[in-house]
Amino acid sequence: MKRVLIPLLVACLLILLGYVMSQPNQVAFWNSLEVTVTAYNSTHAQTDGNPRRAAWNNRLKPGMKAIAVSRDLIKLGLDNQTEVWIEGFDGPYRVMDKMNRRYQRRIDIYFGQDVRAARKFGRRKTRIYWR
């Protein structure tokens, strides 16, 4: 009985630990920061040149969970393709774009071409998590 129970218990603990580490929380493995969150779209008025091409040459498509980060956050590890969890939002977002140098401690959530939804979203303060 002990031969089966101990390995089963160890396996359950490893699975639980893997799940906990994959989710943002207060554990020291995650970085966190309170930032201002706004929204942006793929329109000519809001971009330089090609509205579907991000600053790191990533291609943006409506519906994808992408964000742009202010350049001061890049120095903190929020570089191209970093997964970011935004408190109050489902699932991870991916850093795909960077903002103008004038912004600090700020992220923009990509809203595709839905300008109305982006305006309705407005501006909020929330906490983000990344590794």
Side-chain angles (χ1 to χ4, degrees):
M1 181 76 168
K2 287 183 181 180
R3 287 185 190 183
V4 174
L5 188 59
I6 292 174
L8 184 62
L9 184 59
V10 169
C12 289
L13 286 173
L14 288 174
I15 290 170
L16 181 63
L17 181 63
Y19 174 75
V20 167
M21 290 187 59
S22 72
Q23 304 297 313
N25 53 42
Q26 303 300 330
V27 179
F29 301 117
W30 288 86
N31 298 302
S32 73
L33 184 68
E34 186 171 306
V35 296
T36 300
V37 182
T38 54
Y40 78 111
N41 303 103
S42 288
T43 63
H44 286 286
Q46 294 186 29
T47 59
D48 295 335
N50 185 347
R52 298 251 197 253
R53 180 93 41 196
W56 278 300
N57 213 23
N58 295 317
R59 295 193 60 76
L60 297 171
K61 298 175 190 164
M64 68 188 322
K65 290 187 171 187
I67 61 171
V69 296
S70 57
R71 293 173 191 245
D72 61 325
L73 300 181
I74 296 169
K75 296 172 189 169
L76 298 177
L78 287 160
D79 204 355
N80 187 25
Q81 300 297 322
T82 302
E83 276 191 357
V84 177
W85 292 76
I86 305 169
E87 205 167 74
F89 291 83
D90 288 336
Y93 283 74
R94 193 163 294 277
V95 176
M96 307 262 313
D97 205 354
K98 50 188 166 183
M99 301 168 74
N100 188 295
R101 294 186 191 283
R102 70 178 175 258
Y103 298 112
Q104 291 192 1
R105 287 183 81 144
R106 185 168 168 172
I107 65 170
D108 265 352
I109 297 178
Y110 179 62
F111 272 72
Q113 294 180 325
D114 193 348
V115 176
R116 181 175 288 160
R119 286 188 179 145
K120 184 178 179 184
F121 180 82
R123 178 187 307 211
R124 306 171 187 189
K125 289 238 185 226
T126 192
R127 185 160 292 278
I128 59 172
Y129 300 89
W130 74 98
R131 282 193 240 179

